[in-house]
Structure formats: C-alpha cells, structure tokens
Amino acid sequence: MSLHGKRKEIYKYEAPWTVYAMNWSVRPDKRFRLALGSFVEEYNNKVQLVGLDEESSEFICRNTFDHPYPTTKLMWIPDTKGVYPDLLATSGDYLRVWRVGETETRLECLLNNNKNSDFCAPLTSFDWNEVDPNLLGTSSIDTTCTIWGLETGQVLGRVNLVSGHVKTQLIAHDKEVYDIAFSRAGGGRDMFASVGADGSVRMFDLRHLEHSTIIYEDPQHHPLLRLCWNKQDPNYLATMAMDGMEVVILDVRVPCTPVARLNNHRACVNGIAWAPHSSCHICTAADDHQALIWDIQQMPRAIEDPILAYTAEGEINNVQWASTQPDWIAICYNNCLEILRV
C-alpha cells in the first residue's frame, strides 16, 4: 500500500456506537478493509464496512447495514485469492451470510437449524473453515455446535447465490458453548475445538463425531470464553476464562497441562490473536487498556513479559491480527477502531 511516504503507525476510526465484533477482510484487492459490529443493548444494531483511503490516509465508512441484536462475531470469507463471491458472515440470533456489493450489502441466507420452534438459542460464536470455505461451524448457548455446508451457485439475475444446510449438529458440552474454531491439523478440514461454560476445551473430528477429546479443564471450573488456534503450528491453542486476567497456552500433545501462562494483564482479558506468519507470537488484549504481544519461543520455560505493549484510550474489547497483512493488528475500544503497525 503506497501511502506516499507518509505511512503512519496508527490509524483510527470512530464509529457512532460501541464497537465489539470486528474482522479484517482477506481479499487481495481489499487490503485495509474491516467489518465492525455495534454493541447496543437493544434489537436494532448495525454493521459497518470501513476501508482506509490511500489518498487521505483516513478510514472511510463504505457501507452500513442493519443487524438484529449485536453481532457476537463477524467474519469475511477466508478467500485469499478472491475467487469466491465477496461474502461476510455474522452471528447473533442466527448465522447470516451477506453479499457485499459496491454500494449495498444484502442478506444472502439466514441459517436456522431450529425450524420447529418460535425460540432460537443465540449463537455465541462461529468459525469459517479456511481449507474449505463451504464449511462453517457455530456455537450456541443450547450446548450444541452446528456444522453448516454452504452452496455457492452461479449468478442468475438477483436470485440468492448462497444457500446452506446443516451437515451435523452435536451436543458439544454440558453447558453453554462460547466459542468454536477449526484446527489446521490433519488437512485443516475436519478437526475443530470448542470451549464453554463447563470450563473445558474439547476437540472433535467430523469423521468420528461419536467421541470427543477433552484437552483441558479449568482447575476452578470457570467458564472458558475464547479459544484460538496457532496459525502456524496446529499443536498449540490459547484459551482464557471468564473474568480471567491470564491467557493459557495449551499443547494438544500434552492434554490438561498448560505449556505457558501469559499473566501480565491487570484486568480481564477480552481477546486473543495469534500471529498469522509466526508460530511463536501472540497478541492479547484486555480491560486494562493494553494490547500485549508475546514471544513464546522459550516454552515450556515461563514467559515473564511481553515484547511489545500498546496502551489504548479505553478497555479493549477485541483484537484481530490481519492474516494477509501480518504487520497490522486491529483493536477496538469504546466507539473506536485502531489499526497498529507492528
């Protein structure tokens, strides 16, 4: 990106509402583009698509659309070559897939696997499979995870291009499931893990769903809120407990024993992001206004201190490391998005 010799280290965007969900676009032709979800405690919420304008080096809102309830997560299709339609998925009351056009974004499909009930169990999170972008997995407060298959048809007029069906639904935990993530292990298509209110990390294989493996259980049985796989080494994942100030690094080859604990934060951790290009760097962000980057090379020796720290002007709700631009990290706090050059 040629910002004409005046590249800044930090770019900031102020949204009209508190920002919670956030994700970097991975398409090669849309480099500094992010989707942001509002957190407003009522039915009417918004999603904004923002991009960095190269001339002015300011963020510009390209598109805003309505979303029922706050998005618990949003994610662009993991399409680094730009061969699929320009799709964005969001989770909230349901999983929705949106098609992004130049001027408008429209709903392609709403995925609901509870057809015979008036009530829906809210979705806490989802993940989009990088190896097979026709697979998505959702996690729900009803203790289940659902794996969805997408069909992307040909463009015929304004007929919806994308439809979806349930591939499988499984009871994943004893209580609410808070996060799900596909692993890159074994081909990257069939393995995924989940965390939840029962305090466990569980690993599943789509080819053998009759059993799961418990990789870790929180010693105090605190709910686990997030999990995040290392992008380069599929043996490692990170998780964190609700209201916890530390991030636990796990090795699937050594179940139930953390290989590292990252505990420099002074308030509860809200986000975790592994470096896309390195197996030993991870960023954590918390209510203490800090985003910390850690080098975990010396595991299992204790990791005492982060190698980089950034202090924001508010409690950081979310952190995302750009997979196709590994020198940029995005954080959000209050109504602000900031991207930081690392």
Side-chain angles (χ1 to χ4, degrees):
M1 178 162 188
S2 62
L3 282 164
H4 315 296
K6 55 174 185 187
R7 284 183 74 150
K8 297 191 290 190
E9 302 297 303
I10 300 172
Y11 295 91
K12 183 175 178 178
Y13 173 74
E14 293 190 35
W17 21 253
T18 301
V19 181
Y20 173 65
M22 163 186 72
N23 189 241
W24 287 93
S25 169
V26 296
R27 282 177 77 93
D29 56 337
K30 306 277 187 193
R31 276 173 43 90
F32 284 84
R33 181 176 70 162
L34 295 101
L36 308 177
S38 67
F39 184 82
V40 183
E41 292 192 46
E42 55 181 63
Y43 180 80
N44 296 318
N45 273 261
K46 302 280 185 191
V47 173
Q48 279 194 347
L49 310 182
V50 301
L52 197 58
D53 179 65
E54 301 208 22
E55 292 304 311
S56 66
S57 65
E58 299 284 337
F59 269 111
I60 291 171
C61 175
R62 310 250 185 233
N63 203 312
T64 303
F65 60 93
D66 293 329
H67 193 280
Y69 304 105
T71 49
T72 51
K73 184 170 180 177
L74 39 77
M75 206 175 166
W76 296 92
I77 185 169
D79 174 22
T80 50
K81 298 194 171 65
V83 293
Y84 286 85
D86 197 7
L87 300 178
L88 175 75
T90 59
S91 55
D93 50 351
Y94 301 107
L95 181 65
R96 290 175 175 83
V97 179
W98 310 80
R99 183 181 173 84
V100 177
E102 284 305 311
T103 53
E104 61 158 9
T105 300
R106 57 187 200 90
L107 183 63
E108 279 289 323
C109 62
L110 182 150
L111 301 174
N112 168 21
N113 61 345
N114 195 358
K115 295 281 196 295
N116 42 17
S117 165
D118 293 340
F119 300 100
C120 64
L123 301 177
T124 49
S125 186
F126 74 96
D127 194 23
W128 206 324
N129 192 294
E130 290 182 2
V131 171
D132 180 357
N134 294 309
L135 280 182
L136 293 99
T138 56
S139 57
S140 171
I141 63 167
D142 68 3
T143 77
T144 68
C145 291
T146 303
I147 305 299
W148 293 90
L150 283 189
E151 288 81 43
T152 311
Q154 298 304 311
V155 186
L156 295 170
R158 281 185 60 88
V159 180
N160 274 24
L161 212 72
V162 182
S163 58
H165 67 278
V166 175
K167 276 190 151 359
T168 186
Q169 181 178 26
L170 58 141
I171 294 172
H173 287 261
D174 304 328
K175 295 179 177 172
E176 297 93 330
V177 191
Y178 289 139
D179 203 6
I180 181 173
F182 287 105
S183 159
R184 290 193 174 182
R189 191 180 177 280
D190 297 294
M191 319 271 280
F192 66 93
S194 60
V195 292
D198 59 11
S200 68
V201 181
R202 302 193 187 197
M203 184 109 178
F204 300 87
D205 186 327
L206 288 174
R207 298 159 296 194
H208 308 286
L209 282 173
E210 61 280 359
H211 59 86
S212 64
T213 309
I214 295 183
I215 304 175
Y216 175 70
E217 290 189 284
D218 183 84
Q220 279 80 45
H221 301 291
H222 289 156
L224 298 177
L225 280 192
R226 290 279 164 267
L227 87 153
C228 205
W229 287 101
N230 187 306
K231 300 284 187 236
Q232 294 294 328
D233 185 337
N235 291 308
Y236 293 108
L237 71 151
T239 186
M240 66 195 203
M242 187 183 283
D243 300 327
M245 293 191 216
E246 70 173 12
V247 169
V248 173
I249 310 287
L250 306 170
D251 182 338
V252 295
R253 298 162 298 190
V254 193
C256 302
T257 312
V259 281
R261 294 176 182 277
L262 310 179
N263 48 20
N264 273 39
H265 283 291
R266 298 288 165 260
C268 75
V269 178
N270 295 322
I272 310 168
W274 288 94
H277 58 312
S278 153
S279 62
C280 53
H281 292 95
I282 187 171
C283 183
T284 59
D287 272 356
D288 60 5
H289 299 204
Q290 295 229 298
L292 305 177
I293 294 182
W294 307 78
D295 182 343
I296 58 169
Q297 258 177 114
Q298 60 208 31
M299 292 190 309
R301 291 211 307 277
I303 315 292
E304 300 289 342
D305 289 302
I307 54 169
L308 277 175
Y310 175 75
T311 305
E313 291 166 21
E315 299 176 350
I316 303 176
N317 297 327
N318 203 332
V319 58
Q320 299 274 317
W321 203 320
S323 58
T324 48
Q325 297 152 255
D327 42 355
W328 291 93
I329 286 176
I331 59 168
C332 57
Y333 59 89
N334 304 334
N335 67 325
C336 297
L337 157 76
E338 283 185 348
I339 62 168
L340 319 169
R341 198 131 100 101
V342 293

mmCIF file of all heavy atoms in Angstrom, residues 49-54 60-64 102-103:
data_model
loop_
_atom_site.group_PDB
_atom_site.id
_atom_site.type_symbol
_atom_site.label_atom_id
_atom_site.label_comp_id
_atom_site.label_asym_id
_atom_site.label_seq_id
_atom_site.Cartn_x
_atom_site.Cartn_y
_atom_site.Cartn_z
ATOM 1 N N LEU A 49 -18.877 -1.407 7.169
ATOM 2 C CA LEU A 49 -17.694 -1.834 6.430
ATOM 3 C C LEU A 49 -16.848 -0.593 6.210
ATOM 4 O O LEU A 49 -17.319 0.389 5.631
ATOM 5 C CB LEU A 49 -18.101 -2.454 5.088
ATOM 6 C CG LEU A 49 -19.203 -3.527 5.173
ATOM 7 C CD1 LEU A 49 -19.497 -4.100 3.802
ATOM 8 C CD2 LEU A 49 -18.824 -4.627 6.148
ATOM 9 N N VAL A 50 -15.624 -0.619 6.736
ATOM 10 C CA VAL A 50 -14.767 0.561 6.635
ATOM 11 C C VAL A 50 -13.492 0.198 5.893
ATOM 12 O O VAL A 50 -13.044 -0.956 5.919
ATOM 13 C CB VAL A 50 -14.437 1.153 8.028
ATOM 14 C CG1 VAL A 50 -15.710 1.538 8.770
ATOM 15 C CG2 VAL A 50 -13.605 0.193 8.863
ATOM 16 N N GLY A 51 -12.935 1.172 5.218
ATOM 17 C CA GLY A 51 -11.693 0.956 4.474
ATOM 18 C C GLY A 51 -10.789 2.162 4.625
ATOM 19 O O GLY A 51 -11.255 3.288 4.806
ATOM 20 N N LEU A 52 -9.490 1.921 4.540
ATOM 21 C CA LEU A 52 -8.519 3.009 4.631
ATOM 22 C C LEU A 52 -8.356 3.623 3.247
ATOM 23 O O LEU A 52 -8.056 2.921 2.279
ATOM 24 C CB LEU A 52 -7.190 2.452 5.139
ATOM 25 C CG LEU A 52 -6.180 3.453 5.675
ATOM 26 C CD1 LEU A 52 -6.751 4.268 6.828
ATOM 27 C CD2 LEU A 52 -4.932 2.720 6.143
ATOM 28 N N ASP A 53 -8.599 4.905 3.153
ATOM 29 C CA ASP A 53 -8.449 5.615 1.890
ATOM 30 C C ASP A 53 -6.976 5.978 1.696
ATOM 31 O O ASP A 53 -6.374 6.631 2.551
ATOM 32 C CB ASP A 53 -9.307 6.885 1.903
ATOM 33 C CG ASP A 53 -9.159 7.673 0.621
ATOM 34 O OD1 ASP A 53 -9.558 7.163 -0.433
ATOM 35 O OD2 ASP A 53 -8.618 8.798 0.673
ATOM 36 N N GLU A 54 -6.413 5.547 0.570
ATOM 37 C CA GLU A 54 -4.965 5.730 0.389
ATOM 38 C C GLU A 54 -4.577 7.194 0.220
ATOM 39 O O GLU A 54 -3.509 7.618 0.644
ATOM 40 C CB GLU A 54 -4.487 4.933 -0.831
ATOM 41 C CG GLU A 54 -4.779 3.459 -0.702
ATOM 42 C CD GLU A 54 -3.801 2.602 -1.477
ATOM 43 O OE1 GLU A 54 -2.691 3.084 -1.768
ATOM 44 O OE2 GLU A 54 -4.153 1.461 -1.778
ATOM 45 N N ILE A 60 -12.679 5.384 5.911
ATOM 46 C CA ILE A 60 -13.953 5.841 5.362
ATOM 47 C C ILE A 60 -14.961 4.717 5.543
ATOM 48 O O ILE A 60 -14.638 3.545 5.294
ATOM 49 C CB ILE A 60 -13.799 6.177 3.865
ATOM 50 C CG1 ILE A 60 -12.924 7.423 3.695
ATOM 51 C CG2 ILE A 60 -15.153 6.386 3.196
ATOM 52 C CD1 ILE A 60 -12.543 7.701 2.271
ATOM 53 N N CYS A 61 -16.168 5.060 5.973
ATOM 54 C CA CYS A 61 -17.231 4.066 6.061
ATOM 55 C C CYS A 61 -17.803 3.874 4.668
ATOM 56 O O CYS A 61 -18.340 4.798 4.071
ATOM 57 C CB CYS A 61 -18.320 4.533 7.025
ATOM 58 S SG CYS A 61 -19.700 3.386 7.043
ATOM 59 N N ARG A 62 -17.673 2.662 4.139
ATOM 60 C CA ARG A 62 -18.123 2.391 2.767
ATOM 61 C C ARG A 62 -19.577 1.940 2.736
ATOM 62 O O ARG A 62 -20.226 2.036 1.709
ATOM 63 C CB ARG A 62 -17.269 1.285 2.153
ATOM 64 C CG ARG A 62 -15.769 1.530 2.298
ATOM 65 C CD ARG A 62 -15.147 1.858 0.965
ATOM 66 N NE ARG A 62 -13.713 1.980 1.061
ATOM 67 C CZ ARG A 62 -13.026 3.029 0.634
ATOM 68 N NH1 ARG A 62 -13.657 4.059 0.098
ATOM 69 N NH2 ARG A 62 -11.717 3.067 0.733
ATOM 70 N N ASN A 63 -20.073 1.430 3.861
ATOM 71 C CA ASN A 63 -21.368 0.768 3.834
ATOM 72 C C ASN A 63 -21.830 0.521 5.269
ATOM 73 O O ASN A 63 -21.025 0.124 6.099
ATOM 74 C CB ASN A 63 -21.156 -0.583 3.129
ATOM 75 C CG ASN A 63 -22.414 -1.132 2.536
ATOM 76 O OD1 ASN A 63 -23.437 -1.164 3.200
ATOM 77 N ND2 ASN A 63 -22.338 -1.575 1.298
ATOM 78 N N THR A 64 -23.100 0.765 5.546
ATOM 79 C CA THR A 64 -23.686 0.427 6.849
ATOM 80 C C THR A 64 -24.958 -0.360 6.593
ATOM 81 O O THR A 64 -25.725 0.003 5.704
ATOM 82 C CB THR A 64 -24.060 1.698 7.650
ATOM 83 O OG1 THR A 64 -22.888 2.501 7.809
ATOM 84 C CG2 THR A 64 -24.578 1.348 9.039
ATOM 85 N N GLU A 102 -20.678 -3.115 -4.349
ATOM 86 C CA GLU A 102 -20.002 -1.817 -4.331
ATOM 87 C C GLU A 102 -20.760 -0.809 -3.477
ATOM 88 O O GLU A 102 -20.168 -0.026 -2.746
ATOM 89 C CB GLU A 102 -19.859 -1.282 -5.769
ATOM 90 C CG GLU A 102 -18.760 -1.959 -6.555
ATOM 91 C CD GLU A 102 -17.405 -1.890 -5.870
ATOM 92 O OE1 GLU A 102 -17.006 -0.781 -5.432
ATOM 93 O OE2 GLU A 102 -16.744 -2.938 -5.738
ATOM 94 N N THR A 103 -22.095 -0.819 -3.578
ATOM 95 C CA THR A 103 -22.861 0.212 -2.888
ATOM 96 C C THR A 103 -23.735 -0.337 -1.776
ATOM 97 O O THR A 103 -24.082 0.389 -0.853
ATOM 98 C CB THR A 103 -23.777 0.950 -3.880
ATOM 99 O OG1 THR A 103 -24.551 -0.039 -4.585
ATOM 100 C CG2 THR A 103 -22.964 1.746 -4.876
#
